[in-house]
Amino acid sequence: MTDREVMQQALSLAQKAKGLTSPNPCVGAVVVKDGKIIGKGFHRAAGCAHAEVEAIEDAGLATKDATIYVTLEPCNHFGKTPPCTHKIIKAGIKKVVIGCKDPNPTVCGGGIQYLQDNGIEVICGVLEKEAKILIEEFIWYIQNDNKPFVILKCASTLDGRTATSTGDSKWITNEKSREHAHQIRHEVDAILVGSGTLHADNPSLTSRLKGVEAKDPVRIILDTHLNIKEDAKVLTQNSNARTIIVTGPDISEDKKALLERQGAHILKVPLKEERLDLNELMIKLGQISILSLLIEGGSVVAGSVLAAGIVNKVMFFLAPKFLGSSDGMPVFEGHGPELIKDAFELNNIKVTQFDNDILVQGYLK
């Protein structure tokens, strides 16, 4: 087995807990000795054993002179659990192969240095790109003043319509595309829509996966004037995730109190040009440990978040159908650039096919 092959297994292990470890990153580890895998592990949830600990304990007493592969640099500090570097040294492991360094500038390289100071060989950067993508929201949050990593999800016909002129939109994409979208909901900390989507569709904003106990994201509703109906699904359904209603400074205190009695959390943010200040919202969400945010709002919200410059990643589903007219609802509303050279452009493109649907995803600068 090559280093890349074993690291790929470690990445696959880490992926199992994607969405369950926040505010920690998901991490996988594999212990190898004499060319054979003797231990596997992954970080299952915040407060639980780290991946290295799970893998070493899975290997038992056979870890002396073994090699451990871990997707993220082992920690070298005391938190809810002891440092993984201490566990590695005590296990008699002679070599550590790492996917990527710890993104925190204050600790980056500290685990590697400690291991090397204790006579352990360290190789770093094996499948580094894949390791960083796996924890991209954690890296962004740590390195950008604790602001969430924002994913904008869109879905349209080939002629760029999200609904017909009557508002009918079910279903533009196919079942496999929708299932993948629910997987992303499961993986992120929170999902955001506007009040327009809420009133038009009354969505649940939950995660529904076949054969898997999915985690619901925190539900965030942009509702400037607190017009949400008291019987909205996001307020009445059975879900362990909370609902946050983001509103402006001037609202009915009676309505606020009523919604709070229903379990909703009301978050006030200032207005900017008569709309909720989305950049201020990102700061507030970061303060409550929202590391990743999926935006599924309608065309007004989609246009607004792009204009505000808060989007990191775009997931654009294209269905092989078109309305063939100009009266359908567009993907984005608002005032766009006047020149093509100023258009929003994606980088690091990945294209995936779900039956006949195509998902184009990439990153905004």
Side-chain angles (χ1 to χ4, degrees):
M1 293 181 294
T2 66
D3 284 351
R4 292 174 64 88
E5 288 173 335
V6 181
M7 185 60 73
Q8 185 57 62
Q9 292 200 40
L11 289 166
S12 297
L13 286 166
Q15 182 67 42
K16 289 184 176 183
K18 184 75 172 177
L20 302 176
T21 62
S22 188
N24 294 347
C26 54
V27 182
V30 176
V31 180
V32 174
K33 186 174 183 180
D34 298 328
K36 295 181 180 180
I37 293 176
I38 61 172
K40 297 180 179 180
F42 60 95
H43 183 42
R44 298 173 185 271
C48 293
H50 286 190
E52 301 93 317
V53 174
E54 275 212 351
I56 290 170
E57 292 185 350
D58 185 45
L61 300 176
T63 55
K64 182 174 173 55
D65 294 330
T67 298
I68 187 168
Y69 293 76
V70 59
T71 57
L72 180 66
E73 177 183 359
C75 64
N76 192 43
H77 59 277
F78 284 89
K80 291 183 178 180
T81 59
C84 290
T85 51
H86 294 195
K87 183 78 172 181
I88 290 169
I89 293 167
K90 186 176 180 180
I93 287 172
K94 68 176 182 180
K95 182 178 178 181
V96 179
V97 181
I98 298 168
C100 65
K101 290 183 178 181
D102 190 315
N104 191 332
T106 62
V107 298
C108 180
I112 292 173
Q113 187 63 54
Y114 187 79
L115 291 170
Q116 291 174 330
D117 289 346
N118 282 272
I120 295 176
E121 180 185 357
V122 178
I123 296 176
C124 187
V126 176
L127 295 185
E128 182 177 23
K129 180 180 178 181
E130 292 84 348
K132 286 183 175 181
I133 289 175
L134 181 67
I135 60 169
E136 59 189 5
E137 67 290 331
F138 178 76
I139 294 175
W140 173 265
Y141 183 83
I142 289 294
Q143 296 182 346
N144 291 274
D145 300 321
N146 294 352
K147 292 179 183 177
F149 182 85
V150 178
I151 303 168
L152 173 61
K153 185 184 82 69
C154 308
S156 80
T157 60
L158 290 178
D159 49 355
R161 302 295 166 179
T162 61
T164 66
S165 58
T166 65
D168 180 47
S169 62
K170 294 186 177 181
W171 292 103
I172 288 178
T173 55
N174 62 35
E175 186 176 352
K176 283 191 176 180
S177 293
R178 297 196 297 273
E179 185 175 345
H180 183 69
H182 278 277
Q183 177 65 38
I184 301 304
R185 286 186 181 185
H186 166 76
E187 293 178 358
V188 297
D189 290 337
I191 181 172
L192 180 149
V193 301
S195 57
T197 296
L198 191 75
H199 296 319
D201 301 334
N202 193 22
S204 299
L205 302 181
T206 54
S207 302
R208 300 180 293 279
L209 296 173
K210 294 179 180 179
V212 177
E213 185 177 349
K215 172 193 68 68
D216 290 339
V218 173
R219 294 171 291 273
I220 301 175
I221 314 299
L222 300 181
D223 189 0
T224 307
H225 304 295
L226 211 57
N227 292 324
I228 185 172
K229 296 179 181 178
E230 297 161 27
D231 60 351
K233 287 182 181 178
V234 294
L235 297 174
T236 60
Q237 67 194 354
N238 183 23
S239 173
N240 291 328
R242 56 180 168 163
T243 295
I244 299 174
I245 304 174
V246 183
T247 188
D250 299 320
I251 56 170
S252 166
E253 291 300 319
D254 290 340
K255 181 71 173 288
K256 176 177 179 289
L258 175 62
L259 295 172
E260 288 175 333
R261 286 196 295 271
Q262 289 186 262
H265 176 71
I266 309 301
L267 180 62
K268 291 184 179 182
V269 299
L271 301 182
K272 186 177 182 180
E273 297 178 358
E274 299 184 359
R275 292 183 180 273
L276 296 169
D277 188 333
L278 296 176
N279 281 282
E280 184 65 27
L281 174 59
M282 294 305 104
I283 294 172
K284 289 182 178 293
L285 294 181
Q287 290 171 347
I288 56 174
S289 297
I290 300 292
L291 275 66
S292 54
L293 175 65
L294 176 65
I295 295 177
E296 286 194 7
S299 57
V300 173
V301 169
S304 296
V305 296
L306 279 179
I310 64 170
V311 177
N312 299 95
K313 185 176 183 178
V314 175
M315 302 181 67
F316 205 125
F317 289 88
L318 283 168
K321 58 187 73 168
F322 50 91
L323 301 182
S325 63
S326 62
D327 59 353
M329 297 185 179
V331 181
F332 304 102
E333 287 191 16
H335 183 69
E338 296 181 358
L339 301 174
I340 289 295
K341 70 178 183 67
D342 298 323
F344 296 98
E345 185 174 357
L346 299 181
N347 299 286
N348 299 322
I349 300 297
K350 180 181 178 182
V351 179
T352 311
Q353 194 162 343
F354 294 97
D355 285 340
N356 290 331
D357 289 353
I358 294 174
L359 168 61
V360 179
Q361 54 186 338
Y363 299 84
L364 290 169
K365 292 182 179 179

